Amino acid sequence: MSVNEEVSFDAKEHQHLRYNPLRDTWVLVSAHRMKRPWAGQVEKPPEEHVPRHDPHNPLCPGNTRANGEINPDYDSTFLFENDFPALQPDAPDPGEDNCITQYNICQHFFVMCFHPWSDVTLPLMKKEEVVKVIDKWAELVEELGSTYPWVQIFENKGAMMGCSNPHPHCQVWASNFLPNEPALSDRCQRAFHQKHGEPLLLQYAKQEAEKKERVVVETSDWLAVVPYWATWPYQTLLLPRRHVLRINDLTAEEREGLADIMRRLLTKYDNLFEISFPYSMGWHGAPTGPHLTEDNSHWQLHAHYYPPLLRSATVKKFMVGYEMLAQEQRDLTPEQVNIIKTTGAKPTLYYRVSH
Ligand code: H2U
């Protein structure tokens, strides 16, 4: 008998592939690579001194933005049209060329401040303040979704994720087309539903809730897991346990439950490396606008959290080389990063505040 025949498979030690059913892709898991020494780039830890109110920050209440408008003295959430939209309203039509565009792109860009203070983040806000953020998200999906097929809510948090401003905020982009990621997710969920007669993510949530191997936080209404197919080391998936198509379909009770689980999940993230944890997050729900009248029962509302970190507060995961040119690869298993589950539920302020 050869040595290899005696060794039984251990996901923490042995490379393997995992299937991402939302993208129809495979991720290569090679946990043993974490043993290699790190002599690469070390990031700056997140900003330490964030003033509660900075008279020069265009997102703060009462301040002047780039376009000269003055923000109201808001005391909750505050929404404004992005002064630097990704589309120019008067750009010339590219003409007849299928490789450039097949339709008139039309988008609407908003910035939404979560809170009047710059020195708070979602896990440090009161539960009722987070509920107001969720209510505003739901209102925007309802309003913009009455015409636009896709309303993308996303939060870039931390300079490491390209966030340009420490004030707690997200962005909302509404488009008259289905962007690539939701279009792919729509195809995958539809194909699974046709084959199995059940929404993909509902079946998956049930399996994870039973196994408990990758569950980070769970409540009676919500589940946060490190998905089996996670590509980013600390990636999580947050979803309701009930079949819900869109964020505006959540009941008042479910919105409270969401505020609660978001605060708990994000606190665990912050506690992991004792920093205000960077990430990009966003909501995916059934398409809207002309799709409102279609059968979208294959969809399940969910949020993706994609944090960039790998080993510590300052060593991030680079999606380069093999990941860019061949296939996504991760260095430690989703079950191993479940340590975020044990990092406590007490909200902690991980940067000093000057009042
Ligand atoms: P990010 O940090 O996630 O990029 O969000 C900040 C957004 O705020 C960014 O898209 C907008 C930027 O265009 N912004 C304004 O619309 N007006 C301003 O005066 C400053 C920033």
Side-chain angles (χ1 to χ4, degrees), residues 57-59 64-68 80-85 110-111 154-157 161-166 169-171 173:
N57 187 333
L59 268 54
T64 307
R65 295 207 311 277
N67 68 349
F80 62 92
E81 287 219 29
N82 201 314
D83 303 318
F84 305 97
F110 294 96
V111 178
F154 64 95
E155 179 191 2
N156 283 334
K157 179 166 174 261
M161 287 312 283
C163 179
S164 61
N165 195 308
H169 70 282
C170 71
Q171 294 193 45
W173 293 21

Side-chain angles (χ1 to χ4, degrees), residues 177-196:
F177 57 94
L178 264 192
N180 294 338
E181 286 297 314
L184 176 58
S185 183
D186 180 60
R187 281 201 297 278
C188 291
Q189 290 180 83
R190 189 187 299 275
F192 183 96
H193 193 253
Q194 273 164 1
K195 194 164 170 200
H196 301 277

Side-chain angles (χ1 to χ4, degrees), residues 317-330:
K317 160 81 183 165
F318 285 93
M319 287 286 183
V320 293
Y322 194 77
E323 286 92 338
M324 278 180 145
L325 292 152
Q327 183 161 337
E328 292 166 349
Q329 182 269 332
R330 63 175 290 135

